Amino acid sequence: MQVNIGLMRRTFLFAFALLAAACSPSRNPFPEGASLYDLRTGESLSSPKAARSPAVYGTCETQFADSPQAYSFVRVKTADYQLEVVTAEGERADSLSALCLKHGAVAGINGSYFNMRNLTPVTYIKDDGFVTGATTLGETFRTNGSVLFTHEGFVIDATRADTTWTGGETWREAMASGPILIDENEVQVYEEGIPQWKGFYAKRHPRSLIGTDSQGYVWLVVVDGRTSGKADGMSIAELTELALQLGLTDALNLDGGGSSTLWTLPAGVINHPCDNGIFDNEGQRIIPNALMLREL
């Protein structure tokens, strides 16, 4: 059999180039058409420069899932930034921007579900060693994941933190939420029959998530919604698809709806919270807990 050595060599080099591009940490991980900025300075970044940066925030308005969508994100290197839980229940509750400024954060996202009447959590929350919330029976249909913190870092884990859960005792901080979207590269599928399927899982809403990727970055992502023609919001399945497109290997859904807010120090609120019914950056909701980033 005659072997074409030149063809084999070119084929090998092409395959190697594709593999190297796929594995390179400098490849563009951001959605096409996104506006990208340096989280430390607010400077506008090109896609190649943003891909090499340890701290980026961005916004994107696009067609996704056959509908108009607007979403915002923060991506930071976990080795350079500390993520933590911040709680402020009841009378101490405030807007995300106010809480982030009070606690010296460089970025923050709304946290988990809460009672809107008394501004107290309805999922398990542990802040700096103190348990401030427990998962109620009414939240067990979607609370099947947690962000769990040690002094060295955090993990996103598919733990069903129900009313009897005691697993948080071994962690310095914890925030239960859900549903889990991706667990160790395994996509979680939710089908009709789950309580509140039509209202929560299948209906499009503003959404918030936290995720991590294989390159050592944590992502905070907020999808806007309830604005016809500009931002339809996403179902849980659509949000999972977005997480996959961003390259996330673990992802957890947080509280959504009017709570969905993403804040950065250089730019303030970068998404369009929907509580004021206007597609602007002003409609923040008062919340009792959040996830925040500080630079190490």
Side-chain angles (χ1 to χ4, degrees):
M1 180 179 66
Q2 192 173 24
V3 178
N4 188 328
I5 301 298
L7 177 61
M8 289 182 62
R9 183 174 182 273
R10 288 194 299 273
T11 302
F12 172 79
L13 290 175
F14 179 68
F16 181 81
L18 288 178
L19 179 62
C23 296
S24 171
S26 62
R27 66 184 178 88
N28 181 19
F30 304 109
E32 185 177 353
S35 299
L36 303 169
Y37 306 90
D38 189 297
L39 182 62
R40 296 159 298 185
T41 66
E43 173 193 3
S44 179
L45 299 175
S46 65
S47 292
K49 191 171 182 180
R52 297 189 296 271
S53 173
V56 173
Y57 69 93
T59 60
C60 185
E61 295 187 26
T62 186
Q63 287 288 122
F64 185 94
D66 298 321
S67 64
Q69 300 287 351
Y71 59 94
S72 308
F73 53 86
V74 170
R75 185 194 80 144
V76 301
K77 198 76 172 178
T78 54
D80 299 329
Y81 289 81
Q82 176 178 313
L83 180 74
E84 58 188 50
V85 175
V86 169
T87 58
E89 303 89 352
E91 295 181 355
R92 298 188 301 117
D94 212 333
S95 65
L96 176 67
S97 58
L99 292 174
C100 286
L101 288 170
K102 180 180 180 180
H103 290 273
V106 297
I109 193 169
N110 63 284
S112 193
Y113 306 105
F114 63 94
N115 185 316
M116 291 184 63
R117 293 188 301 277
N118 58 22
L119 297 172
T120 57
V122 292
T123 64
Y124 185 94
I125 304 284
K126 188 176 186 180
D127 180 5
D128 199 23
F130 295 94
V131 177
T132 61
T135 303
T136 64
L137 285 173
E139 289 299 324
T140 55
F141 77 97
R142 58 186 173 186
T143 304
N144 63 353
S146 300
V147 190
L148 304 170
F149 298 80
T150 66
H151 288 285
E152 289 74 37
F154 73 95
V155 296
I156 298 171
D157 191 50
T159 53
R160 183 164 289 282
D162 58 20
T163 55
T164 61
W165 189 60
T166 58
E169 294 175 357
T170 60
W171 300 87
R172 181 179 64 86
E173 294 191 334
M175 176 179 287
S177 191
I180 193 88
L181 307 174
I182 306 172
D183 178 36
E184 296 181 349
N185 279 308
E186 185 175 339
V187 174
Q188 305 301 297
V189 178
Y190 301 95
E191 298 178 343
E192 191 169 358
I194 297 173
Q196 297 193 25
W197 165 261
K198 290 183 179 180
F200 176 77
Y201 283 88
K203 189 174 180 179
R204 285 175 169 164
H205 294 287
R207 305 279 186 179
S208 303
L209 71 82
I210 178 173
T212 54
D213 64 25
S214 61
Q215 302 298 327
Y217 291 89
V218 57
W219 291 71
L220 310 178
V221 183
V222 163
V223 174
D224 293 324
R226 300 176 183 168
T227 307
S228 179
K230 292 184 178 180
D232 283 358
M234 295 186 186
S235 68
I236 288 296
E238 290 165 349
L239 186 67
T240 303
E241 179 59 30
L242 176 62
L244 287 171
Q245 290 193 15
L246 295 175
L248 304 188
T249 57
D250 289 271
L252 177 68
N253 183 67
L254 302 171
D255 189 13
S259 298
S260 286
T261 311
L262 188 60
W263 179 91
T264 68
L265 184 58
V269 175
I270 62 173
N271 75 301
H272 306 89
C274 67
D275 256 15
N276 63 350
I278 304 173
F279 193 67
D280 62 15
N281 307 109
E282 303 300 323
Q284 292 187 77
R285 175 178 287 179
I286 302 302
I287 58 174
N289 55 71
L291 292 170
M292 297 185 188
L293 289 165
R294 288 196 183 95
E295 193 167 7
L296 294 173

